[in-house]
Each structure stands twice: as C-alpha cells, then as structure tokens.
Amino acid sequence: MSDTTTRDRETVVIIGSGPAGWTAAIYAARAQLDPLVFEGAGSRTMIPGGQLMFTTEVENYPGFREGVTGQDLMMEMRAQAERFGTRIVTEDIVEVDFGQRPFLLRSSRGKEVKADSVIVATGANARWIGVPNEERLAQSGGGVSACAVCDGALPHFRNAVLAVVGGGDSAMEDALYLTKFAREVILIHRRDEFRASKIMVDRALANDKIKVMWNTVVTEVVGDDVITGLKLEDTVTGEARSIEVQGLFVAIGHSPNTAFLNDQVELKENGYVATPGSWRTATSVPGVFAAGDVMDDYFRQAITAAGTGCMAALEAERWLAHGGVEESAGAGVGTAS
Ligand code: NAP
C-alpha cells in the first residue's frame, strides 16, 4: 500500500484499479499528468485490481504465450504505473460533485480531492440470483459465494457436491476450477445452450466431475447456518425439485459500479456509463471519462478494458491541453504513445 499525500488540486484522478485504471495511469503518468489513482479499499466481493484478481489463468491477454494469472497481471500493471510516478491511494471514492470546477471527490476515509479531470474505471461487481437465503448465507460464509477462486479452496467445499449457476465463461471457469476440490460440480443453466466461448464449454463438458442441469433455475437456497441444498424449477415444464449440495457458486454476470456517481453522469438503460460513440470514452460531463467494464457492456475483456483505459487517458490529456474545452466528436487524438 502506498498512500501518498494528495495535491491541492489534481490534474487527473483515476478511480479504479483494474486493467482500465492502470492502463489509464500508465498513459497519464508518461504524459506528465501526475495521475492519482484511488485503487479501492477492498470488500468481500471486490478488491484492488478488480475482477482479474479473482481469475485463475488468463490465456488470452496478448504477450503471455503460456498465460498469466490474473493477480500477476494486475500486480505488473500496478507496478508499471508506479514506475512512471503514479500516486496510489488505497481507498474508495464514495461521493463526487461534478457540478463544480475543479471537480470535488470524497474518499471512504473522508479525504476531499479537487480534480481537473476524472477517469472512472470502477468496473463491475458480481450479480446475485435474488432467491431466499442466498444473501444471508453469502454474508455469513455459509457456503454461498460469487467467487470460486476466492472461496473454492475452503475446507467446507473439499470433496463436496457443489453447484455453479450460469452459462457464460465465468460459470465454465468456476466449474472447472472447483473440480480441483469438489467431488462433483453441478452446472445449473436456465437455457439449453451455453453463452460461453466454445473452448470453455468443450473443457467443461469434457470434465467427468461436471454434470450439467439444463433449463433449470434456482428458486431457493436451503440451509440454516450452512447451505444443505437447493430448490430448483424446470424452465420448460415448470416442475419443481430439490437437490443436496454443500456449496453454491453464483456466476451470472456483473453490474457496473456506478452508485457513487449518484446520477451525475448519464448512464445507459442497463446502468453502464454512457459514452457518446463506441470508440470514445467521454461521458456526459466534460472532463469526466469512463473506461473498462463500467462503460463496456459488450466486450468486457481485460484487453478491451486496457484499451479503453488508454483511450480515456489520451482523451483526458487532449481535453486538458485544450484548456478543458470539449473536443468535437470525431476529432483524432494526436498524442505520441
Ligand atoms: P455473461 O457472459 O453475461 O453470462 C452470464 C450467464 O449467467 C448467462 O449464461 C446468463 O444466462 C446467466 N444468467 C444471468 N442472469 C441469470 C439469472 N438471474 N439466473 C440464472 N442465470 C442467469 O457473464 P460472465 O460469464 O461473467 O462473462 C462476462 C464477460 O467476461 C464475457 O465477455 C466473458 O467472455 C468474459 N470472461 C472471460 C473469461 C475467459 O475467457 N477465461 C472468463 C470469465 C469471463 P443466459 O445465457 O440465458 O443469458
């Protein structure tokens, strides 16, 4: 942790520390913008470094022929940003006032920071199904989790029967990861076809420990102190049934982390930060830019997050160089990398 003194007035504040945040910091630092990053305080479902900290092997980030762990990738990005002088505060930004210039940001420990420009790169957080007992048993550590990589190795799950809900890459990855510890992994999906990439689906289906329940939703988590089972419903026939499991891992996607913006920046209908064009990171507030999973509801990859982080830093640099006059849409970013 390298909490450092903040300046009276910051040029660029970057909120978030996933690939988008660190890439923005690397570019902003190299452009002599002296960026300050709020990397987040960390919670049970989100830690500095973002979602990649919960990922095992990243095989599709270019430059790593043999793959790289999510944690190593994020630690390298952070160190690279620091190497060029990025200052880092291990706190959340909990409140913003974009109505005044410079902008005013308030941190989780009450720090107030004035900033000429802001890059929002706060990513997204795991979603929950929303059925009875799910939240209670997740909060009490009763065998319900949204992070297989964080919790899968706990003694409670050893040699157990575990359920994973979801049909995307996260669900495949979680199910495969959990086979290291579990006796059996039941993959529960609401349709008869996975959304995940073919390579991940093939791997999951080829694993003897993974059993798939198609067209099935969880209607209730069963258990007092710890989970003992699930109530299920067939989405085609409506038939109800129960199964015994010792763990539930929810992998049904993520919601963008925008609550702290308090509606001061325009959001899309699905809650992601709106940016005017698909290749631009400028938000509805001139001087506020967004990058990564907080604005990207389509690609949501580490590499695309890093790409938009780069774009946000270049756009911020350009905007500041123009004296804070918003560029006209479509203008090129003529900065050397
Ligand atoms: P996702 O692709 O949005 O998939 C979410 C899955 O959860 C879908 O199958 C969806 O079902 C299901 N679902 C959503 N709400 C549900 C509910 N209320 N009840 C039951 N099921 C529900 O999310 P993701 O898997 O987290 O992936 C997000 C992005 O990260 C993707 O772009 C993915 O490629 C990427 N990613 C990549 C890797 C990798 O390459 N190793 C690993 C993890 C994630 P439907 O299909 O019916 O909509």
Side-chain angles (χ1 to χ4, degrees), residues 13-16 20 98 118-123 257-258 260-261 265 273 283 288-292 294-295 312:
V13 170
I14 298 163
I15 313 172
F98 292 154
V118 172
I119 296 175
V120 177
T122 42
N257 292 320
T258 55
F260 73 102
L261 294 171
V265 167
V273 174
T283 70
V288 177
F289 303 85
V294 77
M295 53 75 86

Side-chain angles (χ1 to χ4, degrees), residues 211-284:
K211 183 177 145 197
V212 182
M213 279 189 182
W214 302 105
N215 298 322
T216 304
V217 287
V218 176
T219 54
E220 188 177 330
V221 178
V222 182
D224 293 330
D225 295 334
V226 290
I227 180 173
T228 54
L230 297 172
K231 289 189 181 171
L232 306 173
E233 189 179 292
D234 188 304
T235 55
V236 179
T237 63
E239 188 190 332
R241 61 184 290 207
S242 296
I243 56 169
E244 286 182 11
V245 296
Q246 288 85 53
L248 169 65
F249 289 84
V250 180
I252 61 168
H254 293 82
S255 302
N257 292 320
T258 55
F260 73 102
L261 294 171
N262 203 18
D263 293 332
Q264 292 183 54
V265 167
E266 198 181 308
L267 304 180
K268 295 195 245 183
E269 249 177 38
N270 59 10
Y272 287 75
V273 174
T275 51
S278 47
W279 298 107
R280 305 301 294 266
T281 62
T283 70
S284 59

